[in-house]
């Protein structure tokens, strides 16, 4: 009699042995095993896409790490001032008692310059820059030195255009320019408690016109963080007069004071004067302009009379 084959012993319920011996090479089983993997892969790709969008949004200036708005475009500020500790930048330069910053900070005012003055100063910028313009996104006009952006270079507009300049500008233009400079100088002196006569206009003082055109030279890359006292040793006090409006005339282009974990921004408003001590206590940058055109004038002051410059004249 042939020996009988015994069946495999039954596994206790719940032990999982029976399940391990069950064939699992059917298409249905493989699909069930691969489904979670596909879901995980989709989730990872989705997360990467979101991260990429956030990085792109940040790069385009969507948030830019700003945690506080120092001055909003919609506000009309009679004066706002924040004092900050002075850096050591001034120690490496000749000091002028009663002028070299010992009280440092940043301020904003919307009542220094009148609407009429803003319109006249904006007109000066537009007329001068219409003679040239950078091939990139940032164009400069300096009425003191005559520097004007043309393509990828600079020309001296007084020599380049000669007598034609007299048909572009007027004596009234230069008088308005001087009046505005004097008002800004007085505002700075009062805010920092120094004599207005101890401040001297210094170079470069210039108009800027910025748009979203791609940079062509290093001069077009205005968005890098910098310290004015380091970039221009003569600077002790820096000011900007904005000639156009954030979110009305352009997007991006906000002025950002950079502080660890607490950047602060000034939103440009036509007629707004922003001013600050020029050392490392006020490390700053300008956001990239994403659309439209941003006009402003930078007016710088020094305590060293050897670095002073005269107002431009209509001759």
């Amino acid at each position: 009699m042939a020996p009988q084959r015994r069946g495999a012993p039954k596994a206790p319920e719940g032990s999982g042995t029976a399940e391990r011996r069950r064939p699992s090479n059917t298409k249905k089983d493989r699909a069930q095993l691969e489904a979670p993997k596909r879901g995980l892969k989709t989730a990872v790709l989705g997360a990467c896409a979101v991260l990429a969008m956030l990085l792109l949004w940040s790069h385009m200036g969507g948030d830019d790490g700003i945690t506080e708005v120092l001055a909003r475009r919609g506000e009309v500020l009679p004066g706002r001032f924040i004092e900050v500790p002075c850096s050591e930048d001034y120690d490496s330069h000749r000091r002028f008692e009663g002028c070299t910053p010992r009280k440092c900070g940043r301020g904003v005012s919307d009542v220094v310059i009148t609407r009429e003055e803003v319109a006249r100063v904006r007109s000066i910028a537009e007329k001068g820059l219409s003679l040239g313009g950078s091939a990139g996104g940032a164009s400069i006009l300096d009425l003191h030195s005559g520097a004007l952006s043309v393509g990828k270079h600079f020309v001296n507009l007084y020599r380049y255009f000669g007598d034609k300049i007299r048909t572009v500008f007027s004596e009234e233009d230069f008088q308005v320019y001087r009046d505005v400079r004097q008002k800004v100088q007085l505002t700075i002196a009062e805010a920092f408690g120094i004599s207005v006569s101890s401040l001297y206009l210094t170079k470069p003082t210039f108009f800027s016109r910025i748009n979203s055109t791609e940079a062509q030279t290093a001069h077009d890359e205005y968005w890098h963080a910098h310290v004015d006292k380091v970039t221009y040793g003569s600077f002790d006090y820096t000011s900007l007069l904005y000639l156009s409006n954030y979110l009305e005339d352009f997007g991006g282009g906000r002025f950002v004071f950079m502080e660890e974990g607490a950047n602060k921004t000034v939103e440009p408003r036509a007629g707004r004067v922003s001013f600050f001590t020029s050392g490392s206590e006020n490390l700053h940058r300008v956001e990239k302009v994403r659309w439209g055109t941003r006009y402003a004038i930078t007016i710088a002051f020094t305590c060293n009379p050897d670095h002073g410059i005269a107002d431009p004249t209509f001759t």
Side-chain angles (χ1 to χ4, degrees):
M1 191 173 169
Q4 294 183 351
R5 183 180 298 172
R6 294 184 180 182
K10 290 185 178 181
E13 290 185 8
S15 68
T17 304
E19 286 78 5
R20 286 197 299 270
R21 291 181 177 176
R22 189 177 300 155
S24 59
N25 57 350
T26 66
K27 290 184 178 180
K28 182 178 178 180
D29 290 334
R30 285 200 301 271
Q32 290 176 342
L33 290 172
E34 291 173 1
K37 294 181 181 179
R38 287 198 301 269
L40 179 61
K41 183 178 180 180
T42 301
V44 171
L45 290 174
C48 290
V50 171
L51 179 60
M53 290 177 65
L54 289 173
L55 290 172
L56 178 61
W57 184 47
S58 176
H59 176 71
M60 294 298 289
D63 180 70
D64 211 12
I66 292 168
T67 57
E68 181 179 334
V69 178
L70 180 59
R72 297 185 184 279
R73 185 204 64 174
E75 296 178 289
V76 179
L77 300 173
R80 178 172 291 169
F81 185 82
I82 298 176
E83 188 169 351
V84 298
C86 292
S87 65
E88 298 178 355
D89 294 343
Y90 309 99
D91 295 339
S92 59
H93 296 266
R94 182 181 172 189
R95 299 192 69 90
F96 292 84
E97 287 304 319
C99 181
T100 298
R102 292 193 180 278
K103 173 186 177 181
C104 293
R106 55 194 71 144
V108 180
S109 178
D110 294 316
V111 298
V112 176
I113 309 301
T114 68
R115 288 185 178 181
E116 181 182 359
E117 288 170 329
V118 171
R120 289 293 301 275
V121 174
R122 167 74 178 260
S123 174
I124 296 170
E126 291 176 333
K127 289 187 293 187
L129 288 164
S130 71
L131 298 173
S134 171
S139 299
I140 297 300
L141 168 65
D142 184 336
L143 292 180
H144 301 267
S145 69
L148 172 69
S149 301
V150 177
K152 295 183 179 181
H153 307 283
F154 292 94
V155 300
N156 185 308
L157 67 90
Y158 300 119
R159 290 200 296 265
Y160 193 81
F161 295 100
D163 292 339
K164 181 182 178 181
I165 291 300
R166 301 187 68 84
T167 67
V168 177
F169 301 117
S170 67
E171 176 56 43
E172 289 74 19
D173 289 335
F174 283 76
Q175 184 59 55
V176 169
Y177 185 94
R178 291 191 291 271
D179 292 344
V180 165
R181 187 271 302 164
Q182 290 171 352
K183 285 186 173 184
V184 172
Q185 184 171 346
L186 179 60
T187 299
I188 291 173
E190 290 178 345
F192 291 98
I194 58 180
S195 170
V196 68
S197 62
S198 67
L199 288 174
Y200 301 88
L201 189 66
T202 194
K203 61 181 180 181
T205 285
F206 57 92
F207 290 100
S208 60
R209 182 185 68 194
I210 304 175
N211 58 39
S212 59
T213 304
E214 185 178 353
Q216 300 297 311
T217 71
H219 295 292
D220 297 317
E221 297 183 8
Y222 56 84
W223 54 82
H224 299 297
H226 63 279
V227 174
D228 287 347
K229 188 67 177 173
V230 175
T231 305
Y232 311 107
S234 64
F235 280 34
D236 288 306
Y237 300 90
T238 306
S239 68
L240 294 103
L241 168 60
Y242 296 108
L243 305 173
S244 51
N245 295 294
Y246 171 63
L247 292 184
E248 183 176 322
D249 300 311
F250 62 92
R254 294 178 292 183
F255 186 97
V256 182
F257 289 107
M258 301 182 69
E259 298 180 3
E260 187 175 353
N263 291 347
K264 296 176 175 62
T265 183
V266 174
E267 297 179 352
R269 171 190 173 94
R272 171 166 287 170
V273 176
S274 174
F275 57 91
F276 50 93
T277 45
S278 305
S280 298
E281 68 277 2
N282 283 312
L283 172 69
H284 62 274
R285 63 186 287 267
V286 174
E287 291 179 325
K288 288 185 178 182
V289 171
R290 299 195 298 275
W291 57 267
T293 304
R294 177 190 190 270
Y295 283 92
I297 178 172
T298 298
I299 307 174
F301 296 95
T302 183
C303 297
N304 188 340
D306 294 339
H307 293 155
I309 60 173
D311 287 311
T313 57
F314 187 70
T315 57

